[in-house]
Amino acid sequence: MPFPLITDNIAEAILERQVPTVTRWNRLEGRPRTDAFERALGAEVRDALWLLTRQWQMGEFHGDDAASPILAKVHLATSQLARYRAGAHEPEPFDPGIPLETRVEARAIESFPLDLRLLMGRQWLKLMRDIGDFSAEFLAAYPIEAVDPADAAVCAHPEAWSAHAAVAQRRVDGARLYAHLGTGGHAWDGIAALDPHRAAVDERATRFRAWFARLIHQPGAGDAWVPDRLEYQFACSAPEAERERVLLAEEYYHGHLDWYAVDVGADASSLGGPPQTAEPATDTQVLLPAPVAFDGMPNTRWWAFEDGRTNFGEVRPDTTDLAKLLLMEFALVYANDWMLIPYTLPAGSVASIRGIAVTDVFGERTWIEAAGSGDDADWQRWAMFLNSVEGEAHRPADTTLHGLPVAVGGLEGPAQEEVLLIRDEVANMVWGVERTISLATGEPKPGAEAARETRAFFERALERRLGHAPEPPAMADGAHIRYRAMTDVPEHWVPFIPVHVAGQNREIQLQRARILRTLEGDTEDPLPVEPRTSLLRVGLPGGSYVLHEEEVPRAGVRITQGYQRTRWRDGRAWVWLGVRKRAGRGEGSSGLAFDYLQVVPPQD
Amino acid sequence: MRTWRIASGEFFDGLEDADFPVDTWLYGVARVREKLHAYEQVTMLAGALGRAEPELTAIQLPHRPGDRWLALQFPDGTPLDSDRLLYSAHFAQPFDKASRRQCGLLLDEWTEVIPASDTTTGIAFHYDRPSTEAPQAMLLVTPADFTGGWRWEDLVDALHDTLDLAKRRAVEPAQIDATPYAPLLPATVMAVTARQLTISANLALNSELQTIMAPP
């Protein structure tokens, strides 16, 4: 649109004074402030003075009554873990040559599966090879036994049966030889052909036993697993000047040992016996502190590029995420004034800082106190990497760093056994569901499948015994209902029933019970179903197993047992069978009911 | 091509697991790796059914003279200065260097870490450091009089002046409004006449002045 007030012929207009007009002045005023921050946060650069102006605005020229730390003098006392105690067993010397997890978690192999038997037999024959070929003799003396058709553990499962049948009478059972050697026997017992080589064979037998002990670590006498709590318990201690520093792990089940697994023993001045004392090694060093830096840390300067790999600004905490908010506030606001002194410690040592004095650039010295010091039971006290003192009493907090010699990384095999403990409020009991069992071959198998196959195996056996398919009892004429004493529950559901704690009439415990394998049409007395996982077979045969009731929460627990393998500082590969506990998946219902009537459709 | 060599006697010298180390390694790993467990089963069944058992050959790359096999416990003092690739293979046919095309099955791979005997810890402490920063601009100061030497006061004054200038650089119109300078500053003024009779820049055009002033 053309401007309507424009004068076409200016010269004429001025000469003839057509339009009286007054010259006025427009002033352009810059308004640097706005509600939108995007442009300001862009930190645009202008002239040199502008850069200084911005710095002045940001407070970068503001003089503080402070000085930069330049030297830190640290006095440290370190001692080494010296004793170890598994559960309530006798204390033993602490062995730094084994990862602590291996030592704590290792479980004994209850019954040797076929794969271990085979590899042990193979190793033995290879060991014997430089003496001569005696495989026929050992095969005769220690064969993998032929499959017993009545053995449900093998014959119920096709894969277990075929694996056994393939090697039966063809391979040497190394585990039987190992057991024979373990009871003081000799490998040449009963093999006349070995008589000229007895000394050499004995030497091989010693090597064979040492080899297997190194292959899979087993705990020996001191098993730290506490079956009635479903947790590991252990303690270790380091000598100090007047007493023994005891570290207690009352409930360890996480699968990875870390600093938070242990507590500092309060009154226990010893793991047992007279306390071991020794003056800790001390070390005083003067070091240069460096500012703490971490990924995503904001740079204090206005014009500085930050590493964008970690962006705390993108963290979107919910209104209830207090921990997240605290972390962000710490990282974004308070991260600048932290200094760091690197200090190298031998792994597995207990280190306490006796004092730090920091000298600043003006020569002033400041004594630094531990952040987590104070009353141990003070709920507002907070510190990382420090262990709380056992119990709820008001005691001075412990500010020692306990470096445990734990495994770094490692491989975890498939779960050999998995048990889900669930509460069944309808039946008012707890079930141990064997979700995964270990077959006789050493292979894991889903518990439900194994249970079905086992039941089918017994039903087939019954059919053979009866000579015909079992028939359900005939219905009375005109009856539409049938009385049943109990519902069927899958065989891999192991019942735990509440029983009173001895001598009390309020507290209860959970005791493992057994369900009878009732087969339709069976005239003989039914036999009880036994649990198949070593996790639930505690005390069998004959003994009972009682579980603390509080160890099965409403959410249930999931316990897995499997092989783990890790490397140690000397390169040694440690393999052990370990247990781990995780939260379950809520309550479950077995549908177990007693004394009920079943509606039966009328038959023609 | 990198040098490499099939592991032989010297490679296993001084190992704690001196008896059949490759077998021992396989038995340990087969407990935690399903595919190697299957391979172990193959070995066992091959022997049971009267076939030749597949034997593994251990290779470690890159090869250094005097190296030891790192898959199991190695002798004390073995230097651990770099990563190694440990490669265990069963050669169904002897390895033929001349043939450029090789064919095989990769069963499994993973990484292992051998922990060090020292851990580096950090002692962190809180210390209220001054939060001042170095200026972002370079200041070139010339002496006011050429006397052949600097006077300390000149230098200090130059710095003070610069900081004063920096502060003035941030002055906004709102801060001048109440002062006597207000009619004059900022001096960004432009002449304007209603009917464009002189050189003018009418900022009011931005507010669509013409629609108000135009004769109906």
Side-chain angles (χ1 to χ4, degrees):
Chain A
M1 173 183 165
F3 189 59
L5 301 179
I6 204 107
T7 311
D8 291 330
N9 192 341
I10 292 181
E12 193 185 306
I14 291 175
L15 281 173
E16 297 180 9
R17 299 187 180 175
Q18 288 173 346
V19 193
T21 189
V22 179
T23 303
R24 290 171 295 124
W25 302 91
N26 269 186
R27 188 157 87 180
L28 186 66
E29 293 186 359
R31 294 278 165 184
R33 285 172 199 273
T34 166
D35 292 337
F37 278 98
E38 282 81 13
R39 204 156 162 215
L41 290 176
E44 290 171 20
V45 173
R46 311 234 181 278
D47 53 280
L49 205 54
W50 168 250
L51 290 164
L52 294 180
T53 306
R54 237 27 203 137
Q55 279 192 286
W56 167 70
Q57 285 178 326
M58 293 297 149
E60 292 188 12
F61 296 150
H62 184 78
D64 280 335
D65 185 13
S68 297
I70 188 162
L71 287 177
K73 195 168 190 178
V74 188
H75 184 60
L76 228 95
T78 52
S79 51
Q80 298 288 321
L81 294 173
R83 292 213 286 176
Y84 166 82
R85 188 184 69 199
H89 296 276
E90 284 298 303
E92 306 161 49
F94 195 90
D95 182 3
I98 167 171
L100 190 56
E101 272 135 331
T102 312
R103 189 156 192 191
V104 171
E105 289 180 16
R107 310 282 333 268
I109 298 169
E110 307 250 308
S111 64
F112 281 83
L114 183 68
D115 56 352
L116 289 185
R117 291 172 183 273
L118 287 174
L119 68 88
M120 290 167 83
R122 181 172 187 251
Q123 177 81 2
W124 172 251
L125 288 186
K126 278 185 121 177
L127 275 171
M128 291 292 294
R129 209 178 270 170
D130 57 347
I131 301 179
D133 184 7
F134 295 99
S135 40
E137 283 81 357
F138 280 105
L139 193 54
Y142 305 100
I144 301 273
E145 293 288 356
V147 182
D148 173 10
D151 185 0
V154 174
C155 296
H157 315 295
E159 65 270 51
W161 176 83
S162 61
H164 271 88
V167 293
Q169 306 293 345
R170 293 199 180 97
R171 301 299 276 171
V172 172
D173 185 344
R176 275 174 65 195
L177 174 69
Y178 186 75
H180 178 67
L181 295 173
T183 53
H186 297 277
W188 40 262
D189 284 344
I191 302 175
L194 285 174
D195 282 351
H197 309 291
R198 281 187 175 189
V201 171
D202 277 345
E203 191 265 335
R204 301 271 181 308
T206 315
R207 264 158 58 188
F208 175 66
R209 294 191 60 199
W211 163 81
F212 187 71
R214 282 177 63 86
L215 183 67
I216 297 175
H217 180 74
Q218 295 190 70
D223 189 347
W225 179 250
V226 184
D228 56 354
R229 296 231 170 253
L230 303 170
E231 280 154 1
Y232 290 104
Q233 284 183 359
F234 71 96
C236 41
S237 76
E240 282 196 334
E242 284 100 32
R243 56 171 211 143
E244 221 173 301
R245 169 175 291 275
V246 176
L247 300 176
L248 296 163
E250 293 286 346
E251 39 185 60
Y252 164 60
Y253 53 81
H254 317 82
H256 175 66
L257 203 49
D258 216 329
W259 57 274
Y260 45 76
V262 295
D263 281 343
V264 180
D267 296 319
S269 58
S270 158
L271 273 191
Q276 290 192 336
T277 57
E279 198 60 49
T282 56
D283 179 32
T284 310
Q285 286 195 32
V286 179
L287 297 153
L288 294 177
V292 170
F294 52 87
D295 279 356
M297 180 172 151
N299 198 310
T300 50
R301 304 203 74 161
W302 178 245
W303 273 293
F305 283 102
E306 286 156 13
D307 188 349
R309 272 182 307 178
T310 311
N311 186 1
F312 280 105
E314 284 297 310
V315 179
R316 299 261 177 262
D318 212 340
T319 44
T320 51
D321 291 344
L322 284 184
K324 217 184 257 181
L325 282 167
L326 279 173
L327 175 80
M328 279 178 65
E329 178 154 329
F330 174 79
L332 296 176
V333 183
Y334 296 108
N336 293 331
D337 284 335
W338 288 90
M339 309 294 289
L340 186 79
I341 328 169
Y343 197 94
T344 305
L345 282 173
S349 54
V350 173
S352 60
I353 299 171
R354 298 246 171 111
I356 303 180
V358 174
T359 312
D360 66 22
V361 284
F362 294 129
E364 262 186 63
R365 300 186 73 187
T366 315
W367 185 256
I368 308 272
E369 303 231 355
S373 53
D375 182 358
D376 183 65
D378 179 5
W379 65 274
Q380 286 184 313
R381 191 182 73 88
W382 191 87
M384 288 271 276
F385 310 114
L386 295 185
N387 296 106
S388 49
V389 181
E390 171 203 24
E392 303 293 321
H394 291 274
R395 297 170 198 280
D398 193 282
T399 57
T400 307
L401 179 73
H402 303 105
L404 301 171
V406 294
V408 180
L411 301 171
E412 197 175 338
Q416 296 282 322
E417 292 180 358
E418 179 182 352
V419 172
L420 196 64
L421 282 166
I422 50 173
R423 281 189 177 269
D424 180 353
E425 296 295 347
V426 178
N428 195 21
M429 58 198 297
V430 166
W431 293 96
V433 183
E434 297 180 315
R435 284 170 53 88
T436 305
I437 62 151
S438 192
L439 288 181
T441 55
E443 299 265 1
K445 187 181 176 84
E449 233 170 86
R452 261 199 312 275
E453 285 174 3
T454 309
R455 192 166 174 92
F457 173 81
F458 282 106
E459 281 169 357
R460 283 198 304 275
L462 175 69
E463 204 176 318
R464 271 199 301 276
R465 206 169 66 227
L466 295 174
H468 55 85
E471 288 164 8
M475 296 291 292
D477 263 351
H480 300 304
I481 49 173
R482 170 181 277 168
Y483 169 74
R484 301 202 68 125
M486 194 185 108
T487 52
D488 282 334
V489 174
E491 289 201 355
H492 64 299
W493 287 55
V494 180
F496 282 81
I497 50 173
V499 292
H500 282 298
V501 175
Q504 294 206 7
N505 54 9
R506 289 183 146 219
E507 275 189 65
I508 56 162
Q509 284 179 317
L510 300 166
Q511 185 173 14
R512 181 184 58 207
R514 294 191 289 185
I515 283 187
L516 297 176
R517 182 182 289 125
T518 324
L519 301 172
E520 195 102 10
D522 193 0
T523 48
E524 289 180 18
D525 284 342
L527 291 171
V529 179
E530 290 206 337
R532 298 189 66 175
T533 53
S534 65
L535 290 169
L536 292 186
R537 285 186 65 87
V538 182
L540 285 177
S544 67
Y545 174 35
V546 179
L547 188 65
H548 288 274
E549 192 244 347
E550 64 271 21
E551 300 297 343
V552 186
R554 272 180 73 100
V557 287
R558 190 156 71 91
I559 309 151
T560 51
Q561 176 167 289
Y563 283 104
Q564 297 186 46
R565 181 180 187 272
T566 194
R567 306 292 304 276
W568 199 230
R569 295 167 201 152
D570 52 5
R572 183 167 167 190
W574 289 89
V575 178
W576 72 97
L577 199 56
V579 187
R580 164 186 292 215
K581 184 166 82 173
R582 298 182 186 87
R585 295 185 311 192
E587 296 173 19
S589 171
S590 60
L592 177 67
F594 298 95
D595 298 334
Y596 71 104
L597 291 173
Q598 188 184 20
V599 178
V600 181
Q603 290 169 349
D604 300 327
Chain B
M1 184 178 162
R2 281 182 173 165
T3 57
W4 67 278
R5 192 173 57 156
I6 288 183
S8 57
E10 178 212 336
F11 196 48
F12 298 127
D13 269 358
L15 292 192
E16 285 285 319
D17 304 275
D19 295 321
F20 318 112
V22 183
D23 281 346
T24 305
W25 168 81
L26 173 68
Y27 298 153
V29 171
R31 305 274 77 72
V32 290
R33 305 295 291 187
E34 282 172 90
K35 288 167 185 164
L36 288 177
H37 189 255
Y39 180 81
E40 185 195 86
Q41 296 294 99
V42 168
T43 311
M44 299 298 166
L45 287 172
L49 303 176
R51 308 287 291 270
E53 293 181 351
E55 293 286 343
L56 283 176
T57 306
I59 296 167
Q60 182 165 300
L61 299 168
H63 172 71
R64 304 255 169 82
D67 243 3
R68 294 291 177 270
W69 202 40
L70 295 183
L72 291 173
Q73 183 169 358
F74 39 77
D76 281 347
T78 305
L80 290 178
D81 46 359
S82 61
D83 292 353
R84 298 295 155 86
L85 174 70
L86 275 77
Y87 175 87
S88 302
H90 167 65
F91 294 100
Q93 291 177 347
F95 180 67
D96 179 12
K97 232 185 216 178
S99 160
R100 290 188 59 200
R101 201 169 279 182
Q102 308 285 344
C103 174
L105 282 178
L106 176 69
L107 291 188
D108 206 351
E109 55 185 336
W110 66 91
T111 52
E112 287 184 6
V113 179
I114 296 173
S117 50
D118 283 338
T119 44
T120 304
T121 60
I123 305 167
F125 60 89
H126 186 258
Y127 200 89
D128 187 16
R129 283 192 297 155
S131 43
T132 47
E133 300 287 346
Q136 291 276 11
M138 288 227 303
L139 180 64
L140 178 68
V141 181
T142 50
D145 306 313
F146 287 99
T147 55
W150 273 102
R151 287 197 310 159
W152 176 249
E153 293 78 25
D154 284 352
L155 214 52
V156 173
D157 287 347
L159 288 173
H160 280 306
D161 276 357
T162 313
L163 196 59
D164 279 345
L165 283 173
K167 289 175 182 173
R168 272 179 224 161
R169 178 73 174 75
V171 166
E172 296 171 24
Q175 288 166 318
I176 308 175
D177 275 353
T179 65
Y181 300 111
L184 306 172
L185 289 176
T188 44
V189 286
M190 283 147 280
V192 63
T193 57
R195 292 196 178 265
Q196 314 289 315
L197 288 178
T198 179
I199 296 169
S200 62
N202 196 347
L203 299 174
L205 289 182
N206 292 326
S207 334
E208 310 213 330
L209 175 78
Q210 69 276 23
T211 57
I212 305 164
M213 288 187 67

